[in-house]
């Protein structure tokens, strides 16, 4: 027709047009199928990711229990290491009855010995053995029991140091650990003078023993050791009777090693099958073969642990075990905290926090703390160690899962639960000494009950919580303060008190009374400065009139920082060490914040660097 354009041939009547339409429909259908596949692919990937995440979470649970098992075993080996390093020294300290007759010296002996052997159960069992053998009177043993109560709290304080990498976790963990220390020290400050003046613990326990018809029982059941002993006995086995024997005056045990070489009697098959005749008979009644000893017709099997045939002395073995157990302890604790952080996320953490930290319904809300005490006492009775229980909940306190208000009654209940060890050990004493042994074990129980009556029933009497929070805040700001606290509270201060007490009552009263008076005055002024400063003179409303080193740790912090400059991050950032800003937000997102231990006064202002007292210059921009 003269028009340019492509000529379109008409579709033949053979159905090509309908085929094109079908092809178009098929193309459209393929598009729908492709879109459906693309839509279903993320769903399948999301479902697979959820299944994978669920499987990983399931795998984390047995891993967590495995690390917890190794953590508890490392605590047991740590106790053995301390006993190897200082067990005989502890026995020598207990042996001097002239020292133990001084109540203050007895208190310090209880602290130092329990720190040396890292077990209040061991130290109280030694005390019960000395009372049952008649070497120690009940009245003289009471201050030692009080001291062992203080010394046992050092373990969970050491465990809290492992969470020093995060300031907020460290603040909570250290506060949760030191609430035990504060309770024990406050109880001793009140109850030891009361006992010296009136002897109330001695009289109350004497009445209880006279009232009941007590029969001899068995040793304390080692329920936890049923689980941990198969592993720990492969590492080390100790003969704890050596420490008790030295304490009770058996000089023949002084040169004997604490490391157990010969264990229980061998089975008849082991004694007779495949051994052949004895190869070494040093006397008619004493023959031995490889791994088997026959002593006066009593067959004994040689122990199987790492240090059975070691030529090393006890001190060297103790130091090796101390280093190894601390490495395992730190590793397990770090991995436990990471696993708990990954498991306790969001709603899970909030649900667990709500269950643990929520009070009972309104009419019974005042019973919540006492119920927590029963739980703590029951758990400690099961594991037969307050150190293990309090050390196990310390990481949970650091993560914010358990508030310090809930950890406090759990710790008090643990204090009660650990007294069952001494009570059951006392029931195994000989009949003529059973009453005295049971009485001193009851003194441990009533001491803890008296402390609870002093520092728990009324909210304003719960001073240990406020003291522990202050210590946690101070430690979060100056992390080295935790180590200084341990050295002062468990070594320097007890040793100083011990030295002064040995100089006589006049020296002790002359030094102790002014010190306690000054301590009370400082505490009173601090309370008035915080709540009603108007009641104080103007010059006393702050401590600024004193030199800086007397009311602030900042000068000491500068000295320690300069001394350790090349070992800290200040080498790379000399203007101030800074905490990662994302950590608090991450904790809030994971639901691991603990509002019970938030310190608004410690949070930095927007223009202040964390860890540096100097504000940023005006208009400065943070890089």
């Amino acid at each position: 027709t003269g028009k340019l354009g492509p000529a379109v041939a008409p579709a033949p009547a053979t159905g090509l047009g309908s085929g094109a339409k079908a092809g178009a429909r098929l193309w459209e259908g393929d598009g729908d199928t492709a879109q459906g596949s693309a839509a279903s692919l993320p769903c399948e990937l999301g479902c697979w990711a959820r299944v994978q995440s669920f499987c990983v979470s399931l795998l984390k649970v047995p891993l967590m229990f495995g690390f917890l098992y190794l953590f508890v075993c490392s605590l047991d080996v740590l106790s053995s290491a301390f006993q190897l390093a200082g067990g005989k020294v502890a026995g020598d300290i207990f042996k001097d009855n002239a020292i133990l007759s001084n109540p203050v010296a007895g208190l310090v002996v209880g602290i130092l010995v329990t720190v040396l052997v890292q077990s209040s159960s061991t130290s109280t069992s030694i005390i019960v053995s000395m009372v049952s053998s008649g070497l120690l009177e009940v009245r003289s043993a009471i201050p030692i029991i009080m001291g062992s109560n203080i010394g046992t709290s050092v373990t969970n304080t050491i465990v809290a140091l492992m969470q020093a990498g995060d300031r907020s976790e460290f603040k909570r963990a250290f506060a949760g650990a030191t609430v035990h220390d504060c309770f024990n020290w406050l109880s001793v400050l009140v109850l030891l003078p009361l006992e010296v003046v009136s002897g109330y613990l001695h009289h109350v326990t004497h009445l209880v023993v006279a009232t009941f018809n007590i029969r001899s029982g068995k040793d304390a059941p080692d329920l936890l050791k049923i689980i941990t002993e198969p592993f720990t006995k492969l590492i080390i086995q100790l003969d704890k009777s050596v420490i008790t024997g030295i304490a009770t005056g058996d000089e023949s045990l002084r040169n004997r090693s604490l490391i157990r070489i010969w264990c229980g009697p061998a089975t008849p098959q082991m004694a007779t099958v495949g051994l052949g005749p004895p190869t070494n008979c040093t006397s008619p009644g004493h023959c031995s073969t490889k791994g088997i000893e026959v002593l006066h017709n009593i067959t004994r099997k040689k122990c199987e642990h790492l240090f059975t045939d070691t030529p090393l002395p006890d001190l060297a073995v103790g130091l090796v075990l101390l280093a190894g157990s601390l490495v395992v302890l730190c590793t397990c604790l770090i991995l436990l905290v990471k696993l708990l952080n990954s498991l306790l996320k969001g709603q899970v953490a909030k649900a667990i926090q709500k269950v643990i930290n929520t009070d009972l319904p309104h009419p019974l809300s005042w019973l919540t703390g006492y119920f927590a005490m029963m739980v703590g006492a029951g758990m400690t009775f099961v594991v037969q160690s307050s150190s293990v229980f309090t050390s196990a909940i310390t990481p949970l306190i650091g993560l914010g899962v358990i508030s310090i208000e809930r950890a406090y009654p759990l710790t008090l209940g643990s204090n009660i639960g650990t007294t069952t060890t001494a009570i059951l050990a006392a029931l195994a004493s000989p009949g003529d000494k059973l009453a005295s042994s049971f009485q001193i074990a009851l003194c441990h129980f009533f001491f803890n009950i008296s402390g609870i009556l002093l520092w728990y029933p009324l909210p304003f009497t719960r001073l240990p919580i406020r003291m522990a929070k202050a210590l946690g805040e101070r430690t979060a700001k100056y992390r080295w303060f935790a180590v200084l606290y341990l050295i002062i509270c468990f070594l320097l201060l007890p040793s100083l008190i011990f030295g002064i007490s040995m100089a006589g009552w006049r020296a002790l009263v002359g030094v102790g009374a002014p010190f306690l008076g000054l301590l009370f005055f400082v505490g009173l002024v601090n309370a008035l400065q915080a709540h009603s400063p108007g009641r104080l003179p103007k010059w006393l409303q702050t401590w600024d009139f004193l030199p800086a080193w007397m009311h602030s740790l900042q000068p000491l912090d500068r000295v320690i920082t300069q001394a350790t400059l090349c070992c800290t991050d200040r080498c790379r950032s000399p203007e101030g060490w800074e905490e990662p800003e994302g950590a608090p937000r991450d904790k809030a997102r994971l639901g691991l914040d603990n509002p019970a231990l938030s310190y608004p006064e410690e949070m930095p202002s927007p223009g202040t660097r964390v860890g540096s007292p100097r504000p940023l210059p005006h208009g400065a921009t943070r890089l």
Side-chain angles (χ1 to χ4, degrees):
T1 60
K3 292 182 181 180
L4 294 175
V8 179
T14 56
L16 186 59
S18 61
K21 291 179 181 178
R25 285 196 301 270
L26 181 62
W27 176 255
E28 292 174 0
D30 287 345
D32 293 341
T33 305
Q35 290 176 2
S37 300
S40 63
L41 188 60
C43 177
E44 292 177 1
L45 288 176
C47 294
W48 171 247
R50 285 196 292 270
V51 171
Q52 192 175 10
S53 175
F54 179 73
C55 293
V56 170
S57 298
L58 282 182
L59 183 62
K60 287 178 181 178
V61 173
L63 271 178
M64 183 181 67
F65 281 106
F67 288 133
L68 183 62
Y69 176 78
L70 289 176
F71 172 74
V72 174
C73 290
S74 65
L75 285 175
D76 193 5
V77 176
L78 182 69
S79 175
S80 299
F82 273 100
Q83 290 179 49
L84 280 170
K88 291 185 177 180
V89 177
D92 284 330
I93 293 174
F94 270 133
K95 193 178 76 169
D96 196 339
N97 208 0
I99 294 177
L100 300 182
S101 61
N102 183 338
V104 178
L107 172 77
V108 176
V109 164
I111 296 172
L112 294 176
V113 167
T114 309
V115 169
L116 282 174
V117 300
Q118 280 290 291
S119 172
S120 62
S121 300
T122 300
S123 57
T124 51
S125 298
I126 293 173
I127 297 167
V128 168
S129 300
M130 294 181 69
V131 171
S132 65
S133 62
L135 294 175
L136 193 63
E137 295 181 355
V138 173
R139 191 181 294 274
S140 300
I142 291 175
I144 310 175
I145 289 287
M146 295 182 180
S148 69
N149 227 43
I150 294 175
T152 191
S153 57
V154 71
T155 308
N156 54 323
T157 309
I158 294 174
V159 169
L161 295 177
M162 309 308 163
Q163 289 179 270
D166 185 279
R167 285 185 186 270
S168 59
E169 284 186 12
F170 192 33
K171 181 197 304 181
R172 290 189 289 260
F174 196 78
T178 52
V179 74
H180 197 186
D181 309 347
C182 297
F183 169 78
N184 288 327
W185 278 108
L186 287 173
S187 299
V188 164
L189 284 176
V190 174
L191 296 178
L192 181 61
L194 183 62
E195 173 64 24
V196 171
V197 172
S198 65
Y200 89 101
L201 278 176
H202 183 268
H203 295 311
V204 169
T205 53
H206 181 72
L207 288 175
V208 172
V209 170
T211 303
F212 293 101
N213 184 18
I214 302 168
R215 296 180 180 179
S216 181
K218 298 181 179 180
D219 291 333
D222 294 327
L223 301 179
L224 182 68
K225 289 191 175 180
I226 295 175
I227 303 172
T228 61
E229 196 173 63
F231 178 73
T232 57
K233 74 177 183 180
L234 297 176
I235 301 173
I236 190 68
Q237 295 182 45
L238 299 185
D239 186 3
K240 297 181 181 179
S241 63
V242 174
I243 304 175
T244 306
I246 293 174
T248 53
D250 190 351
E251 293 297 326
S252 64
L253 298 175
R254 182 166 299 281
N255 295 323
R256 181 174 167 183
S257 174
L258 278 169
I259 300 173
R260 188 185 294 274
I261 299 176
W262 299 103
C263 295
T267 60
Q269 292 82 4
M270 295 186 68
T272 57
V273 177
L275 293 176
T279 58
N280 182 16
C281 295
T282 57
S283 63
H286 186 186
C287 300
S288 65
T289 62
K290 185 177 181 181
I292 300 293
E293 182 186 51
V294 181
L295 180 62
H296 298 292
N297 297 325
I298 299 176
T299 306
R300 296 191 298 174
K301 177 188 174 185
K302 203 167 190 179
C303 298
E304 297 178 358
H305 56 84
L306 292 178
F307 299 96
T308 302
D309 297 316
T310 180
L312 298 174
D314 285 1
L315 179 60
V317 174
L319 293 177
V320 170
L321 287 176
L322 180 64
S325 60
L326 284 177
V327 169
V328 175
L329 181 75
C330 298
T331 306
C332 290
L333 191 61
I334 291 170
L335 293 174
L336 266 176
V337 170
K338 288 186 178 296
L339 279 175
L340 288 170
N341 261 323
S342 61
L343 286 173
L344 303 178
K345 290 182 179 178
Q347 298 301 321
V348 178
K350 291 178 181 177
I352 294 175
Q353 281 180 311
K354 189 173 182 180
V355 170
I356 294 178
N357 299 318
T358 302
D359 293 340
L360 294 174
H362 173 62
L364 302 175
S365 58
W366 62 277
L367 290 174
T368 306
Y370 300 99
F371 178 73
M373 287 183 201
M374 293 174 61
V375 171
M379 293 297 295
T380 306
F381 176 77
V382 169
V383 302
Q384 283 294 303
S385 173
S386 61
S387 299
V388 169
F389 176 74
T390 54
S391 299
I393 66 172
T394 297
L396 296 176
I397 300 170
L399 291 174
V401 175
I402 302 177
S403 68
I404 189 169
E405 284 79 8
R406 184 65 71 241
Y408 181 50
L410 285 172
T411 301
L412 300 187
S414 178
N415 265 0
I416 296 175
T418 195
T419 61
T420 58
T421 304
I423 291 174
L424 293 173
L427 293 177
S429 301
D432 57 337
K433 299 295 181 182
L434 177 60
S436 299
S437 304
F438 188 64
Q439 184 179 354
I440 190 59
L442 283 180
C443 287
H444 195 190
F445 174 76
F446 278 102
F447 168 73
N448 285 308
I449 292 293
S450 302
I452 290 173
L453 293 176
L454 278 174
W455 308 115
Y456 188 79
L458 301 176
F460 70 89
T461 62
R462 296 170 189 174
L463 292 178
I465 294 180
R466 293 194 285 274
M467 293 172 64
K469 284 183 177 181
L471 286 171
E473 179 183 356
R474 188 63 54 204
T475 307
K477 191 174 182 182
Y478 309 105
R479 302 189 196 192
W480 51 264
F481 179 77
V483 179
L484 182 66
Y485 169 85
L486 275 173
I487 294 173
I488 289 177
C489 277
F490 295 103
L491 289 176
L492 294 183
L493 185 60
S495 301
L496 181 63
I497 295 173
F498 180 79
I500 296 173
S501 66
M502 294 310 298
W505 279 103
R506 293 181 180 178
L508 183 64
V509 172
V511 175
F515 176 77
L516 291 177
L518 179 62
L519 196 64
F520 176 77
F521 173 75
V522 170
L524 180 63
V525 171
N526 278 332
L528 290 175
Q529 285 177 352
H531 298 94
S532 55
R535 297 178 179 270
L536 294 171
K538 189 174 181 180
W539 62 275
L540 204 54
Q541 291 179 3
T542 65
W543 296 111
D544 293 339
F545 66 94
L546 293 174
W549 61 270
M550 293 186 68
H551 64 89
S552 173
L553 292 176
Q554 191 66 38
L556 185 58
D557 181 60
R558 284 196 293 268
V559 172
I560 293 177
T561 301
Q562 291 172 1
T564 59
L565 188 61
C566 293
C567 302
T568 65
D569 289 340
R570 292 179 188 254
C571 298
R572 296 184 293 274
S573 179
E575 293 184 0
W577 184 76
E578 200 165 331
E579 187 80 6
E581 293 184 357
R585 289 198 296 271
D586 291 340
K587 287 295 169 64
R589 178 174 56 82
L590 295 177
L592 295 176
D593 263 348
N594 184 1
L597 267 179
S598 57
Y599 301 98
E601 65 272 14
E602 194 183 278
M603 298 301 294
S605 60
T608 306
R609 290 179 183 264
V610 178
S612 174
R614 295 174 296 173
L616 290 173
H618 181 68
T621 303
R622 186 188 302 272
L623 296 178

